[in-house]
């Protein structure tokens, strides 16, 4: 589903869906590619009832930190753990989308599949490290994502990396952030020095967030930053500062959380406080709040987001009609 406020200019070259989107008399290669992708998505759409579509269902936003062979905290996972979790997601027909696309309702995935948002905090070298040849180092998050996508073509190798200043030191911020942008990943803000925003006054919280924003833009000019993850999940005392301040404006603010998010098309969706689920094994500490248990619950209860394959509609069982956010009423497709 595409957010109603997202411009459709990219489709102009194929069908002139929006007049004035391009001053060119013929479509550019990028416009042609976007139009072809949209046409393919439309062709892949199925009758909502046939696939049990429910685009008002829950979406897991998974949270990762360090990948290491010797985990030192509940936030660490081994590369093998991460690889196994991605394999599970692929088997269960999850398709990754970025936080940016999720929070704005731009969920363009095949019919019968489920969106998942993969998020990484703290910009560690175990997440992103490039070799001299420019390729991801073995057992890094980006390498494992690429390996999984190669085995499972529907599994998009995209994620959101919430970074601090001096991100990915082994590679260098400029090189790493540019690589992420060029390969379809999202770069989000995690403040400049990972400050606990609740411990700061309004000016201090704003400075910490703006500092992170500036560090990203300085390292890789042209990156559009529209998402923020709160260090420690701590909301500023003045909550509005998280999403809006001098020098930054975010469509989504992410917590630490312990449960799936409601759909962005649900009127209960709160973009300024989106919960996440810590990646964890079924027997890890606080496992009941971790990814293994939640994925079990979603699969068993079927209370998950199921796409109808059409990015321009919000399909769901008619009994859920009263849950649709007013902004998406025109795209609603109850059955």
């Amino acid at each position: 589903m595409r957010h109603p406020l997202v411009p459709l200019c990219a489709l102009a070259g194929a069908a002139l869906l929006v007049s004035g989107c391009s001053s060119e008399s013929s479509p550019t290669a990028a416009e042609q590619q976007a139009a072809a992708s949209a046409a393919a998505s439309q062709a892949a759409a199925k009758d909502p009832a046939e696939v049990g579509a429910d685009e008002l269902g829950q979406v897991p936003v998974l949270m990762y930190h360090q990948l290491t062979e010797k985990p030192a905290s509940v936030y660490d996972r081994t590369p093998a753990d991460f690889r196994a979790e991605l394999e599970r997601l692929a088997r269960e027909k999850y398709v990754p989308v970025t936080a940016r696309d999720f929070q704005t309702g731009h969920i363009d995935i095949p019919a019968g599949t489920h969106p998942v948002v993969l998020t990484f905090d703290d910009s560690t070298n175990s997440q992103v490290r490039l070799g001299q040849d420019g390729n991801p180092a073995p057992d890094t998050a980006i390498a494992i994502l690429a390996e999984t996508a190669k085995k499972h073509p529907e599994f998009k190798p995209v994620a959101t990396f919430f970074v601090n200043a001096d991100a990915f030191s082994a590679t260098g911020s400029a090189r790493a952030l540019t690589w992420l942008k060029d390969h379809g990943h999202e770069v989000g803000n995690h403040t400049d020095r990972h400050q606990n925003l609740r411990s700061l006054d309004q000016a201090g919280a704003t400075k910490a967030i703006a500092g992170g924003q500036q560090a990203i833009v300085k390292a890789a000019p042209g990156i559009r930053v529209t998402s923020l993850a709160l260090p420690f999940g701590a909301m500023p005392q003045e909550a509005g500062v998280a999403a809006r301040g001098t020098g930054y404006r975010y469509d989504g603010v992410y917590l630490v959380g312990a449960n799936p998010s409601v759909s962005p098309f649900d009127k209960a969706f709160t973009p300024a406080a989106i919960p996440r689920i810590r990646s964890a094994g079924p027997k890890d500490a606080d496992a009941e709040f971790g990814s293994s248990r939640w994925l079990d619950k979603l699969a068993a209860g079927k209370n998950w987001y199921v796409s109808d394959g059409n990015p321009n509609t919000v399909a769901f069982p008619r009994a859920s009609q009263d849950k649709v956010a007013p902004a998406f009423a025109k795209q609603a497709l109850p059955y």
Side-chain angles (χ1 to χ4, degrees), residues 95 134 156 244:
V95 178
K156 297 179 182 179
R244 303 287 184 271

Side-chain angles (χ1 to χ4, degrees), residues 189-311:
N189 189 3
H190 200 41
T191 73
D192 57 353
R193 301 295 173 191
H194 204 274
Q195 298 94 323
N196 183 327
L197 298 179
R198 189 157 189 83
S199 69
L200 305 175
D201 60 17
Q202 182 172 339
T206 300
K207 182 179 180 181
I209 297 169
Q213 175 85 16
Q214 292 163 6
I216 295 169
V217 174
K218 181 179 179 180
I223 284 186
R224 187 166 61 95
V225 186
T226 63
S227 310
L228 170 75
L230 301 170
F232 312 105
M235 188 70 72
Q237 297 178 42
E238 177 56 50
V241 167
R244 303 287 184 271
T246 302
Y248 63 88
R249 180 184 179 91
Y250 302 121
D251 295 324
V253 176
Y254 291 79
L255 309 171
V256 168
N259 54 276
S261 172
V262 298
S263 165
F265 313 124
D266 191 313
K267 63 186 179 184
F269 181 67
T270 306
I274 301 171
R276 295 189 288 169
I277 303 168
R278 176 174 58 84
S279 178
K283 296 182 180 180
D284 289 352
D286 298 321
E288 64 269 31
F289 305 116
S291 57
S292 294
R293 298 282 185 89
W294 269 116
L295 292 174
D296 288 346
K297 293 174 185 177
L298 289 170
K302 303 300 181 183
N303 186 28
W304 53 13
Y305 183 116
V306 182
S307 173
D308 72 342
N310 186 343

Side-chain angles (χ1 to χ4, degrees), residues 26-35:
S26 60
T28 65
E31 289 171 337
Q32 289 176 327
Q33 184 177 11

Side-chain angles (χ1 to χ4, degrees), residues 112-133:
T113 64
H114 324 286
V116 60
V117 186
L118 308 175
T119 67
F120 295 83
D121 290 7
D122 301 351
S123 47
T124 68
N125 293 323
S126 67
Q127 299 166 8
V128 178
R129 188 171 74 258
L130 302 177
Q132 291 299 316
D133 59 0

